Amino acid sequence: MNSAIELDGVSWKAGKSFELQDISLNVPVGSIYGFLGPNGSGKTTTIRTFMGMLKPDRGTISIFGHSVPKDMKRILARIGYVPERPHVYPALTVAEQIKVHSSFFDNWDPGWSSELVERLGIDPSRKISRLSKGETGKLLLLLALSQRPDLLVLDEPTDGLDPVVRRDVLSAVLDYVSERSATVFISSHLVHELERICDWVGVMDQGRLVAELPMQRFKNGIKRLRIADAPEGVEAAPFTLLSRRRDNGVGSMETWIVRDWEPPMRHYFDGVGATVRDVIDLDLEEGFVELLRSSRPQHTNGS
């Protein structure tokens, strides 16, 4: 699998308050990779490491096979980046900002930029200080796309935008991917938003990458099982057990949350003297919550 972004054992510590812990992820070329996680989980910090803004304490990073930070000049020429916080000048007009931004990129496409101004409904004569949050979000995307990047890195690009603007932004991204076969790395805490557009997903929590898998497997592989005569141990199970609890007042029944489930795995329970009574689908947000819950240390009273 060819990689657009590859992190191997990346760690970075900010004093005693936060650290990235041994992050290894792989973004396939041509994929739309959703980087999920609650606010404060380390998504933006991870992006800043592979964008060359933070130097990891350990680990290696490459983008399109080029080393970060050694080859950053070559790498940045192929990346369109929409940061979490706007990087535009409030005193400029939209047209002036576009002119300034274009001067830094040899691949800048003025025709495509003009088309995006029309398509996204941005007034080029308007001062940036007078733009709404949604209009600023559209401008940032325009600046990134007009570079004709091979890799588009979007850090919470629709956070705080109304549904109409959010749809416009994501539509422009998907059209660009379809036209150029570009790779997209999109960070968000909005699970339902990424479900519609991504084919890969990585899940961050508390500075750790707790899962990385194809989106379809993530959507279809996390299930709630109701088990009769559940075994005490789960040796050699073909799935990953995320959590289990005994159903109060229902005899020997337990509810399990499992990952990587496939229908033939029912036979596993026949071999351990248990019975699967129900297999219940979870929506993506439920699966995301269960995955986070299972990845966090379990505390007991008095510990």
Side-chain angles (χ1 to χ4, degrees):
M1 177 173 63
N2 292 330
S3 300
I5 305 171
E6 187 171 7
L7 276 65
D8 184 10
V10 169
S11 298
W12 180 85
K13 191 169 186 178
K16 297 180 179 179
S17 60
F18 180 79
E19 64 179 317
L20 294 181
Q21 304 172 50
D22 196 30
I23 305 295
S24 294
L25 63 80
N26 196 308
V27 179
V29 169
S31 67
I32 302 180
Y33 186 106
F35 201 42
L36 274 172
N39 290 328
S41 60
K43 302 188 301 297
T44 294
T45 303
T46 302
I47 289 172
R48 288 175 177 165
T49 62
F50 70 70
M51 289 294 294
M53 302 175 199
L54 296 174
K55 183 179 179 181
D57 300 321
R58 293 186 303 280
T60 60
I61 304 171
S62 65
I63 296 182
F64 294 122
H66 301 298
S67 176
V68 176
K70 179 182 176 183
D71 300 322
M72 282 312 298
K73 184 176 179 180
R74 184 182 301 180
I75 290 168
L76 291 175
R78 302 179 65 181
I79 297 178
Y81 176 44
V82 175
E84 184 183 29
R85 296 178 181 175
H87 59 305
V88 288
Y89 299 98
L92 299 182
T93 66
V94 168
E96 289 168 341
Q97 177 66 61
I98 291 173
K99 184 177 180 180
V100 168
H101 202 83
S102 67
S103 66
F104 291 96
F105 298 94
D106 293 336
N107 293 333
W108 187 270
D109 187 335
W112 173 231
S113 178
S114 298
E115 183 179 329
L116 286 171
V117 168
E118 292 291 329
R119 176 174 173 176
L120 295 173
I122 304 172
D123 181 355
S125 66
R126 197 162 184 197
K127 276 203 170 186
I128 291 173
S129 61
R130 299 181 65 84
L131 297 181
S132 68
K133 186 169 185 177
E135 290 168 329
T136 303
K138 289 181 179 182
L139 174 59
L140 293 175
L141 182 64
L142 179 152
L143 296 175
L145 290 178
S146 296
Q147 300 164 209
R148 290 294 191 181
D150 297 315
L151 170 62
L152 193 60
V153 177
L154 309 173
D155 190 2
E156 300 278 3
T158 63
D159 189 27
L161 303 186
D162 68 57
V164 174
V165 176
R166 187 179 298 135
R167 182 195 61 199
D168 291 344
V169 167
L170 294 178
S171 176
V173 170
L174 292 175
D175 287 350
Y176 183 75
V177 169
S178 176
E179 177 195 345
R180 300 279 294 194
S181 299
T183 305
V184 178
F185 185 95
I186 179 169
S187 160
S188 181
H189 61 279
L190 303 174
V191 181
H192 62 279
E193 180 174 275
L194 298 191
E195 178 180 8
R196 301 195 304 271
I197 66 170
C198 294
D199 44 28
W200 275 82
V201 62
V203 180
M204 286 289 291
D205 190 42
Q206 299 179 342
R208 296 176 298 121
L209 185 71
V210 299
E212 182 182 58
L213 65 166
M215 176 63 85
Q216 204 60 33
R217 204 170 120 211
F218 184 44
K219 288 169 63 175
N220 297 335
I222 299 181
K223 304 289 186 184
R224 180 180 290 116
L225 311 181
R226 296 190 71 246
I227 310 295
D229 302 316
E232 288 189 14
V234 195
E235 292 80 11
F239 49 81
T240 300
L241 178 62
L242 299 180
S243 67
R244 63 187 294 178
R245 62 174 174 78
R246 183 171 295 278
D247 296 350
N248 294 331
V250 194
S252 63
M253 293 294 296
E254 289 191 6
T255 296
W256 291 17
I257 305 294
V258 301
R259 175 181 156 195
D260 303 321
W261 174 261
E262 294 179 6
M265 293 177 183
R266 280 178 175 268
H267 298 307
Y268 165 80
F269 291 95
D270 298 335
V272 295
T275 304
V276 179
R277 293 289 174 84
D278 295 295
V279 178
I280 302 164
D281 293 333
L282 303 183
D283 65 32
L284 192 67
E285 189 156 356
E286 288 178 305
F288 173 65
V289 169
E290 293 292 348
L291 191 58
L292 294 185
R293 182 178 290 139
S294 69
S295 72
R296 293 175 178 177
Q298 301 298 307
H299 300 290
T300 58
N301 292 337
S303 63

